[in-house]
Amino acid sequence: GAATNYFKSLAGRPDDFEASHWLAPVLVQTGDVQSYEQLRRRMLARFGETTDPVIAERVVTDCLILPWSRPELERLGNIADTALSAGSNHWAWNSIQFAKGLAEYRSGRFAGAVDWLQAPLREQGRDLARDVEAYMVLAMAHHRLGFAGYAHDALTTGLGIAARLPSSGNDLKDWNAWNDWIIAQALMCEAKALIEGPPKLS
């Protein structure tokens, strides 16, 4: 399918970060977990040593749309720290903090995740898809810590923001954050399943 063709084109451009960055969420959305697994291993191998804070932030986020295993998580935590070294004046600082929060959550450090995720949410409204992502991971972290009320509040707030975002393909074509919207939707499914349980059959 399209993913296979994309992999063939990627093979000819192994150092093209943008191609990998746009492909990762699409593979998750289409349920091609095997190709996503291949792609994120390739991203970690190719870009794991980057000193560019934006590439570092994107590698962490793109590789952790779905949970991952221990050795990779440690490496991604270090890559998130590389991004953080850019400092709070960097234009992508909110996204960098989100990437660190996501890495903390995936690593089972739920209190650390809450700390890193609350800061970007103080400046809501600039990037709604990223706000939804942050609320979903925040909700899951609170749930894991046993704070059911906080978890439900974060989930409800994030879902409320999501309801205002474009839902159709036509709207998304003109929106350069569509990949973050796909990531947000994947995290919404994960958070709802964790906090509300499997959907009840009517």
Side-chain angles (χ1 to χ4, degrees), residues 13 35 53 55 71 73 79 83 96 107 120 137 145 150 156 182 201:
R13 298 184 298 169
S35 295
I55 291 181
L73 284 172
I79 297 169
I96 288 169
S107 301
V137 183
L145 290 165
Y150 286 143
T156 304
I182 296 175
L201 299 173

Side-chain angles (χ1 to χ4, degrees), residues 38-116:
Q38 266 180 287
L39 179 68
R40 63 180 174 176
R41 288 194 181 285
R42 179 181 299 203
M43 288 181 81
L44 196 54
R46 298 272 183 207
F47 309 110
E49 304 302 320
T50 185
T51 54
D52 181 323
V54 176
I55 291 181
E57 170 263 314
R58 294 300 348 185
V59 166
V60 173
T61 302
D62 293 342
C63 286
L64 291 179
I65 305 169
L66 300 178
W68 216 2
S69 53
R70 274 279 157 223
E72 285 81 12
L73 284 172
E74 279 172 37
R75 281 202 64 198
L76 288 164
N78 293 335
I79 297 169
D81 289 339
T82 296
L84 285 170
S85 67
S88 58
N89 289 329
H90 193 281
W91 63 267
W93 184 238
N94 280 356
S95 295
I96 288 169
Q97 290 179 100
F98 169 76
K100 179 64 175 178
L102 178 60
E104 290 284 284
Y105 176 74
R106 293 290 188 220
S107 301
R109 291 189 287 271
F110 305 125
V114 169
D115 287 344
W116 282 107

